[in-house]
Amino acid sequence: VQLVESGGGLVQPGGSLRLSCAASGFTFSSYRMSWYRQAPGKGRELVARITSAGDSTYYDDSVKGRFTISRDNAKNTVYLQMNSLKPEDTAVYSCSAGTGLWGQGTQVTVSS
């Protein structure tokens, strides 16, 4: 049973990244999925969430209009498309399942 994130890296301000979170070992399509982030010296914050069927989403105000969460239940994967990235988006991004399972996280650094 695990979640494995990928797609992080270093990007310039205004750039884009697409994070992926591959799930295994549980019935992915039955659970809502979330992306969280934690910046250095700060607490973990919820960035985006999507229902099990993918028919409803939630975004923190700080990313609304720039980030898009989606999922492919056939591939057991949830995505986070991040556009117009800002330096303040720099953080470790982790996905979480409604089961309470967490991935190991992927670093996103936005810097020129």
Side-chain angles (χ1 to χ4, degrees):
V1 179
Q2 64 177 354
L3 297 171
V4 179
E5 299 96 336
S6 61
L10 173 64
V11 63
Q12 292 187 342
S16 298
L17 282 175
R18 188 195 197 200
L19 305 183
S20 299
C21 171
S24 61
F26 65 99
T27 307
F28 177 77
S29 60
S30 295
Y31 295 95
R32 74 179 186 187
M33 296 295 297
S34 305
W35 283 98
Y36 287 80
R37 67 185 180 187
Q38 185 165 20
K42 295 187 178 181
R44 187 167 58 198
E45 63 175 354
L46 175 64
V47 175
R49 176 168 285 165
I50 188 166
T51 55
S52 58
D55 54 355
S56 181
T57 56
Y58 162 84
Y59 298 95
D60 184 80
D61 285 344
S62 64
V63 306
K64 203 171 291 184
R66 300 188 297 122
F67 290 12
T68 302
I69 188 171
S70 62
R71 65 190 296 160
D72 185 336
N73 285 344
K75 295 183 178 179
N76 289 350
T77 302
V78 61
Y79 305 97
L80 187 67
Q81 177 68 44
M82 305 186 295
N83 299 328
S84 302
L85 282 161
K86 305 175 181 180
E88 52 264 43
D89 294 318
T90 295
V92 175
Y93 285 72
S94 301
C95 63
S96 175
T99 63
L101 183 65
W102 288 85
Q104 83 288 351
T106 185
Q107 176 70 47
V108 171
T109 302
V110 185
S111 175
S112 56

